[in-house]
Amino acid sequence: MTIKDILGKLEYASNHPKELMKQYLDENKKVIGLLPVYTPTEIVHASGMIPMGVWGGKTEIDAAKEYFPAFACSIMQAILEYGIKGSYDGMSAAIIPCMCDSLITMTQNYKSGVSGMEMIAFVHPQNRKIQAGTDYLVTEYEGVKKKLEKICGHEITEEALQNSIDVYNEHRKVMQEFIELVPKHLNTITPYLRNAVIRSGLFMKVEEHTDLVKQLNAELKAMPEEKFDGKTVMVTGIIFDDKEILNLLEENNIAVAYDNVAQETLQFDTLVPNEGKSALERLALQWRDVEGSTLAYDPQKKRGKMIVENCKRVGADGVIYAMMKFCDPEEYDYPIVMKDLKNADIPHLYLEIEQQVGSNEQIRTRVQTFAEMLV
């Protein structure tokens, strides 16, 4: 396949998750929805069922207003709206990690408002660097495993779990390679296509996605490095997948060279370690190793420093802080990250984004102004 063919397949998967889910159901596969962030995907994969990311999307909020106040996280409102309206019909269950106030309340709202599927909730420990935190998370994963075993109708074996960890670690390595290749090919990999390559991994079978991205990496490595005449940025936030906004960057000759985004690089930049007495303990130890995420408790506040370091490493000209509307953890992090960027003399653009249907004209103006600042 040509690079155009590969990108086309990944773009299609990114934009058509419902069609992919129908395909899986037609194959007599059960589908499990995974809400953000840091759900134990390997447990679902080891069961033989299909894990699919559930991250909402642009929609009018109507039915969800009966469950969430207007100031609730935009992603949670959109997910619930889609769920109530039947977009996730066919899924056997939804796994919800209780990582913030909105996700905690989502468990009961989802259970009440979305029919036809089981709700599986679990809680990550905040004291994740100590053995007690790891032990606690193992018990949470055991609870998730037992509920999934009831749905799939068989035991999820230790061998299957270890195999799934290997499968996903390979995927993580392939995606890490892609991320490092992007800054050398910013004319070919536009902000929108970069996101499509990553986002498609939420919906495709992991083996198929790994294979396609491997082929993409091989094609990129065979190409000469490209000279990009515009400016480059690093993006940070929970999610930054709005096609219109991504295309606005391209229109203003801005490329995304790297990211610190929960839906993007933060999904796969931490491998599941080899240490641990069992597969579930290995998965729990991965949570211990996560760094630079607003949702992973970090008293040392490394996120801003990590962003500065990666900006300098890839030669990014600035940072876009994509603030999901009404996201408390991100709002708490912003002043600290902003201070680190200011101390490093790295310009940044604060963009408040949401998943409700509306105009992006204010964002257009801000992006245009930021592009002029970077010149």
Side-chain angles (χ1 to χ4, degrees):
M1 282 191 293
T2 66
I3 192 168
K4 183 177 180 181
D5 293 334
I6 298 167
L7 288 170
K9 283 180 175 290
L10 293 168
E11 181 185 3
Y12 179 86
S14 175
N15 292 330
H16 299 87
K18 195 159 187 177
E19 285 81 350
L20 291 181
M21 183 169 72
K22 182 179 183 303
Q23 175 185 319
Y24 303 145
L25 295 174
D26 289 344
E27 296 171 358
N28 293 318
K29 293 284 189 179
K30 291 183 177 180
V31 177
I32 306 296
L34 307 181
L35 273 70
V37 183
Y38 302 114
T39 45
T41 315
E42 289 88 344
I43 305 178
V44 180
H45 181 269
S47 74
M49 298 185 287
I50 305 293
M52 287 194 76
V54 176
W55 286 74
K58 283 281 188 179
T59 184
E60 294 281 359
I61 302 299
D62 183 22
K65 291 178 181 177
E66 298 181 17
Y67 298 85
F68 277 119
F71 52 82
C73 168
S74 181
I75 299 176
M76 295 302 109
Q77 292 193 58
I79 289 173
L80 187 59
E81 186 72 24
Y82 277 119
I84 293 171
K85 291 180 177 177
S87 294
Y88 307 136
D89 287 358
M91 288 185 178
S92 297
I95 302 179
I96 305 178
C98 301
M99 306 193 78
C100 65
D101 289 346
S102 293
L103 277 163
I104 291 169
T105 56
M106 172 62 108
T107 59
Q108 301 311 306
N109 289 339
Y110 203 91
K111 187 175 181 179
S112 174
V114 184
S115 60
M117 71 182 76
E118 185 171 350
M119 187 279 296
I120 302 174
F122 75 100
V123 180
H124 288 87
Q126 289 301 305
N127 287 318
R128 57 198 180 89
K129 299 289 187 180
I130 60 175
Q131 186 61 40
T134 299
D135 293 343
Y136 168 80
L137 188 53
V138 169
T139 64
E140 289 290 281
Y141 284 166
E142 286 173 346
V144 172
K145 176 175 172 284
K146 287 178 182 178
K147 290 180 179 179
L148 289 174
E149 286 173 334
K150 288 183 180 179
I151 296 170
C152 70
H154 60 80
E155 180 188 0
I156 302 172
T157 66
E158 176 70 14
E159 181 182 2
L161 284 166
Q162 295 285 1
N163 177 68
S164 292
I165 289 174
D166 291 342
V167 168
Y168 274 90
N169 268 350
E170 181 187 13
H171 181 258
R172 292 181 182 102
K173 291 174 183 177
V174 169
M175 292 305 299
Q176 289 170 7
E177 182 180 27
F178 168 73
I179 291 298
E180 295 300 327
L181 286 168
V182 168
K184 302 173 184 177
H185 301 281
L186 295 175
N187 295 316
T188 299
I189 308 297
T190 64
Y192 165 67
L193 287 175
R194 181 185 184 278
N195 176 262
V197 172
I198 300 170
R199 189 172 183 265
S200 56
L202 295 170
F203 312 127
M204 294 180 68
K205 293 177 181 177
V206 64
E207 296 88 350
E208 294 177 4
H209 193 258
T210 298
D211 183 60
L212 278 175
V213 180
K214 273 185 179 178
Q215 294 180 53
L216 176 60
N217 290 348
E219 292 290 332
L220 291 173
K221 285 189 284 188
M223 294 168 54
E225 292 191 20
E226 299 172 347
K227 177 176 172 51
F228 182 68
D229 293 328
K231 296 297 180 179
T232 61
V233 295
M234 179 173 174
V235 180
T236 186
I238 298 294
I239 189 171
F240 195 64
D241 68 347
D242 187 305
K243 182 178 179 179
E244 186 176 341
I245 297 176
L246 291 168
N247 286 336
L248 277 177
L249 298 184
E250 185 180 0
E251 289 172 17
N252 285 275
N253 212 20
I254 296 175
V256 177
Y258 204 75
D259 76 83
N260 169 264
V261 175
Q263 193 205 33
E264 297 185 13
T265 298
L266 291 181
Q267 289 186 86
F268 47 77
D269 67 347
T270 305
L271 298 178
V272 176
N274 290 323
E275 61 183 297
K277 301 173 185 176
S278 66
L280 293 184
E281 186 172 5
R282 289 180 66 191
L283 291 173
L285 288 168
Q286 181 196 30
W287 176 238
R288 174 202 66 185
D289 295 342
V290 168
E291 301 292 355
S293 170
T294 187
L295 296 167
Y297 176 61
D298 174 21
Q300 297 179 29
K301 300 301 178 185
K302 300 175 186 175
R303 180 184 175 191
K305 296 176 178 62
M306 291 173 65
I307 292 171
V308 168
E309 181 182 331
N310 279 314
C311 270
K312 292 178 178 179
R313 184 175 64 82
V314 302
D317 298 301
V319 170
I320 293 178
Y321 198 107
M323 174 67 73
M324 179 53 61
K325 195 169 185 179
F326 301 126
C327 178
D328 290 347
E330 282 288 286
E331 289 172 350
Y332 288 131
D333 258 12
Y334 174 65
I336 301 167
V337 173
M338 179 180 64
K339 183 178 179 181
D340 287 331
L341 293 174
K342 184 177 180 181
N343 289 340
D345 293 321
I346 297 174
H348 81 280
L349 171 63
Y350 175 99
L351 284 184
E352 185 177 77
I353 57 177
E354 61 178 328
Q355 292 196 331
Q356 295 188 34
V357 175
S359 171
N360 282 325
E361 288 308 306
Q362 285 189 357
I363 291 179
R364 179 187 297 275
T365 301
R366 291 176 62 80
V367 169
Q368 289 172 341
T369 303
F370 188 58
E372 293 171 1
M373 287 172 53
L374 296 177
V375 172

